[in-house]
Amino acid sequence: MMIRRFETADGRAVSDLIAHTLRTTNSKDYTEEYLENDIRHLQPGDILRRAESQHFYVAEEDGRIIGCGSIGPYWGKEDESSLFTIFVHPDFQRRGIGKSIIEVLEQDEYALRARRIEIPASITGLPFYLKMGYTYKGGKAEVDEEQLYRLEKFREPSPASRISQTDEQRQVVREMMDLILSRHSFRGTYTPEKVPQEDLRAILEAGLAAPSGCNKQTTSLVAVDDPILLRKVLSVIDPPIAQTAPAAICVLTRRINAYRDRCYAVQDYSAAIENMLLMIHAMGYASCWYEGHLTDVDRIGDKIAKVLQVPEEYELVCLLPVGIPEEAPKAPRKQPFEVRAWFNDEVPCFDVSSLKQSCSKS
Ligand SMILES: Cc1cc2nc3c(=O)[nH]c(=O)nc-3n(C[C@H](O)[C@H](O)[C@H](O)COP(=O)(O)O)c2cc1C
């Protein structure tokens, strides 16, 4: 089972899932008339509209949508959010899927920025939400005129919001997160527009600012924007990559030890590369971490180093093209938060080999 963001094509499946769950699971607590009225307002078009204003997620198993949930601002408020549309198909209930959906929603940016999260809970869902740590809003343990309980949970302000007191600082934190989440590898065609050297310099500076083991600063960088030299560099790469890029940054490393026999060169240049990838993206350019092509047995990195007349003590390990992409980079599928990150003792016991992971470009 994986939880991913809703896509437009999911509208029908989500609507059907909700209708079936309401008619099956909720029928013990609500009249047919009540449920059919709800279902009328949860048609595919309604789901698509919700997904526009809320962050909508689906739980998927073997290509089938078996659960859903969404989060959005509570009446447009910045620091209060509300969970909506949480359903798990009757055949998949009591397997922890609802819990996983709530956990994903509680890690969404609408939750992280909120000090309070509300749930309009059905009578059917009430015990589950209470178990998830939600309590009656204002202590009122009664359904309202919509026959729903109003539940809420107060969140500890996140360290980020505690440190960043001002709206301006909170905005910076949000933009930073958006930047990180919207960076994707680009392997398509670049426009011929040149990258000004001041931009390349800023990217190099971001790379050099990265941490390095014992501050050994094992990473060095070469920006190539001279069209003739760049052509020479790109022409030794086989199979060809980044052929249309107007500039490229070559990452060099010196494999010197930080202490005793501990060499952190790989960690050092990886940190530098990520800094540069984020900077490249922040400036409106695209890139891709090309390393496999360079450090494989055919040692293309060595050939590029020769073209650039790099001294022997440096190893050329990576090339980052820099340029304006002709089309927006596509987001690869990533495993949901709760499959790869946990708090405290929540690390689940599962068969890691069941995770679909491969070296393919996803
Ligand atoms: C160490 C390392 C080596 C990589 N080498 C290549 C490569 O040779 N060719 C390539 O197309 N992408 C390469 N990538 C990019 C990954 O395929 C890419 O980061 C991954 O698919 C996730 O996509 P994202 O960058 O859009 O999040 C490399 C990434 C890393 C971290």
Side-chain angles (χ1 to χ4, degrees):
M1 191 276 299
M2 67 177 285
I3 297 173
R4 61 165 174 81
R5 280 296 282 272
F6 172 91
E7 291 164 10
T8 310
D10 300 326
R12 163 58 62 192
V14 169
S15 171
D16 288 351
L17 161 81
I18 295 172
H20 181 67
T21 310
L22 282 172
R23 288 183 182 127
T24 313
T25 310
N26 295 58
S27 59
K28 66 180 171 61
D29 298 311
Y30 293 92
T31 63
E32 188 181 335
E33 187 193 358
Y34 179 97
L35 294 175
E36 291 307 320
N37 184 48
D38 259 10
I39 291 166
R40 260 196 303 283
H41 293 99
L42 289 162
Q43 295 303 301
D46 303 308
I47 304 298
L48 294 185
R49 270 189 296 283
R50 281 176 186 234
E52 277 169 18
S53 58
Q54 300 163 13
H55 289 173
F56 211 114
Y57 294 81
V58 294
E60 189 181 70
E61 187 162 275
D62 298 330
R64 177 180 174 194
I65 291 177
I66 55 169
C68 64
S70 67
I71 183 165
Y74 178 76
W75 294 105
K77 290 188 186 167
E78 277 270 313
D79 62 347
E80 292 181 67
S81 294
S82 186
L83 304 189
F84 306 98
T85 340
I86 297 164
F87 291 93
V88 175
H89 189 285
D91 296 349
F92 295 84
Q93 289 170 7
R94 270 175 265 288
R95 281 180 33 180
I97 295 168
K99 179 170 183 269
S100 298
I101 292 173
I102 297 281
E103 283 168 354
V104 167
L105 295 172
E106 288 181 347
Q107 286 305 318
D108 183 276
E109 59 172 293
Y110 282 137
L112 296 178
R113 76 181 195 185
R115 59 176 178 81
R116 192 185 75 87
I117 302 175
E118 179 158 334
I119 304 184
S122 68
I123 300 166
T124 324
L126 177 70
F128 164 68
Y129 296 121
L130 292 176
K131 227 165 84 188
M132 292 300 298
Y134 288 80
T135 54
Y136 297 107
K137 184 178 178 181
K140 198 173 164 209
E142 295 160 26
V143 290
D144 62 9
E145 64 283 0
E146 289 181 67
Q147 297 188 53
L148 298 170
Y149 288 97
R150 298 283 155 183
L151 304 182
E152 66 184 357
K153 188 191 259 186
F154 287 88
R155 284 176 48 85
E156 273 270 299
S158 70
S161 63
R162 221 178 301 133
I163 296 160
S164 314
Q165 292 296 333
T166 66
D167 282 354
E168 227 166 69
Q169 283 168 318
R170 266 194 291 274
Q171 178 67 13
V172 169
V173 172
R174 268 198 298 276
E175 283 173 5
M176 175 100 185
M177 194 60 181
D178 283 350
L179 184 80
I180 291 169
L181 293 176
S182 59
R183 178 213 59 81
H184 308 303
S185 293
F186 180 71
R187 302 181 183 84
T189 308
Y190 291 89
T191 68
E193 207 164 317
K194 277 186 74 77
V195 181
Q197 278 209 347
E198 64 194 82
D199 287 3
L200 288 170
R201 189 185 168 91
I203 296 162
L204 298 180
E205 281 173 1
L208 297 182
S212 69
C214 290
N215 196 22
K216 289 288 176 190
Q217 303 172 42
T218 56
T219 312
S220 299
L221 306 165
V222 186
V224 185
D225 66 345
D226 174 75
I228 297 167
L229 188 58
L230 183 61
R231 187 95 315 273
K232 276 191 198 157
V233 164
L234 295 176
S235 66
V236 300
I237 305 177
D238 181 27
I241 52 158
Q243 295 295 305
T244 51
I249 292 168
C250 296
V251 181
L252 311 174
T253 185
R254 282 177 305 138
R255 299 196 187 255
I256 53 175
N257 288 344
Y259 60 91
R260 292 197 303 274
D261 60 347
R262 297 292 290 138
C263 175
Y264 290 122
V266 175
Q267 293 86 331
D268 296 349
Y269 75 70
S270 299
I273 290 171
E274 179 62 0
N275 270 13
M276 290 191 283
L277 288 174
L278 288 174
M279 192 67 173
I280 290 168
H281 175 47
M283 297 174 113
Y285 302 112
S287 187
C288 180
W289 180 326
Y290 284 114
E291 176 166 347
H293 291 266
L294 273 60
T295 53
D296 284 352
V297 278
D298 40 356
R299 306 297 307 171
I300 287 167
D302 295 351
K303 295 179 189 164
I304 300 175
K306 212 171 237 166
V307 173
L308 295 174
Q309 299 180 354
V310 169
E312 278 211 341
E313 59 264 35
Y314 294 94
E315 188 184 338
L316 198 153
V317 285
C318 178
L319 179 135
L320 303 177
V322 185
I324 298 172
E326 269 197 354
E327 79 250 44
K330 287 192 187 68
R333 282 226 167 145
K334 300 226 170 171
Q335 303 275 1
F337 180 94
E338 79 282 4
V339 173
R340 290 174 61 199
W342 306 280
F343 287 96
N344 304 317
D345 58 356
E346 292 170 355
V347 184
C349 300
F350 62 80
D351 177 8
V352 176
S353 63
S354 68
L355 298 179
K356 282 188 205 136
Q357 277 175 332
S358 74
C359 272
S360 66
K361 294 175 190 122
S362 43

